[in-house]
Amino acid sequence: LMPPVESCYNLLDFEAVARRVMKRGAWAYYSSAADDEISLRENRAAFQRVWFRPRILVDVANIDLSTRMLGSRVSAPFYVTATALGRLGHPDGETCLTKAASRHNVVQMIPTLASCSFDEIMDAAEGPGNPPQWLQLYVNKDREITRRIIQHAEKRGCRALFITVDAPQLGRREKDMRAKATALGDGGSNVQKTEGHSTDVSQGAARAISSFIDPSLCWDDLPWFRSVTRLPIILKGVQRVEDVVRAAETGLVDGVVLSNHGGRQLDFAPSSLEVLAEVMPVLRARGLDRRIEVYVDGGLRRATDILKALCLGAKGVGIGRPFLYAMSAYGVEGVDRAMSLLKDELEMDMRLLGARSIDELGPELVDTRSLGSH
Ligand code: FNR
C-alpha cells in the first residue's frame, strides 16, 4: 500500500517508499554503485564529519535562498543532476523532473541518456518563469553526432554544457548486472531513441546503453568543444585538486563538478566534499576561483549537507537519486514536494546558522577539523 506523499518529511523518506514500490530492475539501476559501494557510503559519511559554527544574534527575519549559477538566477542553490533512464522509474520519465523543477525555478541538467527525447524534456517546462536547463554530455566516438547534440541544445535554449569526464567506461554495478534484462522492461524501447548505442542488456542497464562513449576523450579535445559552442563548458566528474587547477588554467572551461558519479564509477574515489575542502584554498591562492565555478554532487540529502558545501566554496550542488525516488513513487507531485521540503529545510537551517543569504555562507561557519580522518 502506497503511503500518501504528505507522509514524506525529508528526502530519505522518498527513498524508503521507492524501495518498496519500484520494480526490482529499476531499483537496482538507480540505487546501485560500483563494486563494494564504499564511495557511495563515503559520500554520505563525509558530510557527517563537518560541523557548523553557527552565528547568533543576527537578524534572520528574512532569508533569501536565491542565487546565480553560470549566469542564471535560480530560486535555490541545488539543481537536478543528470540521471539516465527516467522511464525505468516512472512512465513520464524525465519530464516529471522538468515540471517540478520549472515550478520551483530550479535548474535541471538533462542527460544524454534520457529516456524521453531532448525536445520532449525541453517542452515539458511549465510556468511563467523560464528556468534554466543544462545539457549533460556523454561524448560519442562519432564527433559529428556529439556536435549535432550540442548545437541542437544550444539552439533550443539550453544554457550550459556539462561534459562527463569520469566515465570512459561505466563502472561495475553488480546489483544492476544481476537484475539485467528485467531492468530494461519498459525503458528499452525508449532507450533506442538515444543515438549511437547498442542494446545488449546481458551486463545490466548501465553497460547496455554506454558502448558509444568515447574512452579516448582527453584534454586535447577541449579546444574542439570550445570551437563548436558558445555555451559555458563545465567538466563533470573531476576528482583531484590538480585536475581542477588544470581545468581552470586552460581558460577553456567555465566550471567543474566535483563528483564521483554517485559512487557508480571508481570505487574508493573520494567524496566531493573532501576534494572541495582541499581545492578551494588552492584556487583562491592562485586567483583561479574567479575563473571557474565549482559545483559538487554525491550524497547530499539534507539542507545541512548543501550548506556545508556552500560554506566550503561550492556555487551549487547537484542532487540525483532523491529526485529519482520521489519521481518513481509519486511522479511530478513527489519531486515537487521533495523540492519544497529541501527549500524549507534550507530556510530554517540558514536562519539557525545566522546566514541570511547564500553570499553570507563562508568557511568561517564550518568546522572541518575531522574531515580528513576517515
Ligand atoms: C547517474 N549519474 C549520471 N551522471 C552523468 O553524467 N550521466 C548520466 O547519464 C548519469 N546517470 C545516472 C543514473 C543514475 C541512476 C544515477 C544514480 C546517477 C550521476 C549523477 O549525475 C550524479 O553524479 C550522482 O547521482 C550524484 O549522487 P546522488 O545525489 O545520487 O547521491
Side-chain angles (χ1 to χ4, degrees):
L1 260 180
M2 195 68 181
V5 69
E6 293 77 22
S7 71
C8 290
Y9 289 100
N10 60 55
L11 266 49
L12 293 159
D13 286 348
F14 288 100
E15 177 168 348
V17 177
R19 178 179 207 136
R20 283 196 286 117
V21 303
M22 283 177 73
K23 290 201 206 94
R24 189 172 146 264
W27 170 261
Y29 178 65
Y30 288 177
S31 66
S32 59
D35 293 6
D36 300 308
E37 306 193 336
I38 308 297
S39 288
L40 176 73
R41 187 186 66 196
E42 170 65 5
N43 283 353
R44 296 278 308 119
F47 284 98
Q48 293 167 13
R49 297 195 297 271
V50 174
W51 294 76
F52 288 117
R53 301 176 185 276
R55 231 183 245 129
I56 55 155
L57 293 175
V58 178
D59 172 357
V60 288
N62 295 304
I63 300 291
D64 180 7
L65 301 182
S66 71
T67 188
R68 291 184 86 77
M69 294 188 206
L70 298 164
S72 301
R73 194 88 208 159
V74 290
S75 71
F78 60 85
Y79 59 87
V80 182
T81 188
T83 50
L85 302 186
R87 280 193 173 138
L88 288 182
H90 191 280
D92 298 333
E94 292 80 8
T95 61
C96 295
L97 304 172
T98 315
K99 287 184 174 138
S102 63
R103 283 181 200 169
H104 277 274
N105 193 28
V106 157
V107 192
Q108 175 189 28
M109 191 192 298
I110 302 174
T112 297
L113 292 175
S115 44
C116 300
S117 76
F118 177 81
D119 287 320
E120 277 177 275
I121 297 173
M122 291 296 291
D123 293 340
E126 54 185 41
N130 187 16
Q133 284 167 302
W134 297 333
L135 175 68
Q136 176 268 329
L137 188 71
Y138 276 137
V139 178
N140 201 301
K141 288 170 189 150
D142 181 345
R143 288 298 196 286
E144 195 46 34
I145 292 176
T146 288
R147 190 186 59 75
R148 267 191 276 133
I149 293 173
I150 296 171
Q151 293 181 344
H152 179 67
E154 183 168 0
K155 204 173 78 204
R156 284 293 329 256
C158 237
R159 303 214 201 147
L161 176 66
F162 284 69
I163 304 173
T164 299
V165 294
D166 60 9
Q169 174 179 354
L170 289 201
R172 188 179 170 84
R173 303 151 196 176
E174 293 168 10
K175 235 187 273 169
D176 178 46
M177 291 164 84
R178 287 191 185 99
K180 48 185 180 182
T182 33
L184 283 178
D186 52 21
S189 58
N190 303 309
V191 170
Q192 316 275 347
K193 285 186 190 160
T194 306
E195 288 179 277
H197 64 271
S198 79
T199 48
D200 167 19
V201 297
S202 62
Q203 299 286 294
R207 288 283 165 86
I209 58 177
S210 63
S211 57
F212 70 92
I213 298 173
D214 188 355
S216 79
L217 183 70
C218 67
W219 290 101
D220 293 341
D221 291 308
L222 291 183
W224 180 81
F225 288 99
R226 197 58 292 166
S227 77
V228 299
T229 182
R230 290 208 299 268
L231 293 174
I233 294 175
I234 298 89
L235 303 181
K236 175 178 182 291
V238 183
Q239 303 174 70
R240 52 189 279 135
V241 173
E242 293 82 351
D243 283 345
V244 180
V245 171
R246 182 166 181 183
E249 285 177 339
T250 63
L252 298 169
V253 305
D254 303 275
V256 295
V257 184
L258 306 178
S259 169
N260 60 25
H261 211 111
R264 293 159 76 84
Q265 288 298 100
L266 181 65
D267 205 9
F268 291 93
S271 103
S272 58
L273 193 70
E274 199 84 46
V275 182
L276 178 70
E278 220 183 303
V279 81
M280 290 313 296
V282 177
L283 291 180
R284 288 191 191 107
R286 301 190 190 189
L288 293 171
D289 59 316
R290 288 184 302 272
R291 268 212 220 160
I292 56 163
E293 294 186 1
V294 178
Y295 293 85
V296 303
D297 74 29
L300 293 108
R301 301 293 179 263
R302 287 283 189 183
T304 52
D305 300 332
I306 299 175
L307 294 173
K308 288 171 189 176
L310 296 175
C311 284
L312 288 173
K315 248 335 237 173
V317 308
I319 296 186
R321 293 183 185 85
F323 294 142
L324 283 180
Y325 296 143
M327 172 193 82
S328 303
Y330 300 104
V332 183
E333 298 317 315
V335 186
D336 189 330
R337 178 161 171 90
M339 289 178 177
S340 297
L341 289 168
L342 208 45
K343 284 181 169 176
D344 288 350
E345 279 187 27
L346 273 168
E347 185 178 331
M348 181 193 68
D349 290 335
M350 283 173 67
R351 193 167 275 132
L352 298 178
L353 189 56
R356 289 166 292 202
S357 60
I358 300 300
D359 60 15
E360 287 187 359
L361 298 166
E364 69 282 2
L365 291 176
V366 284
D367 172 359
T368 56
R369 285 174 301 173
S370 306
L371 187 57
S373 53
H374 297 59

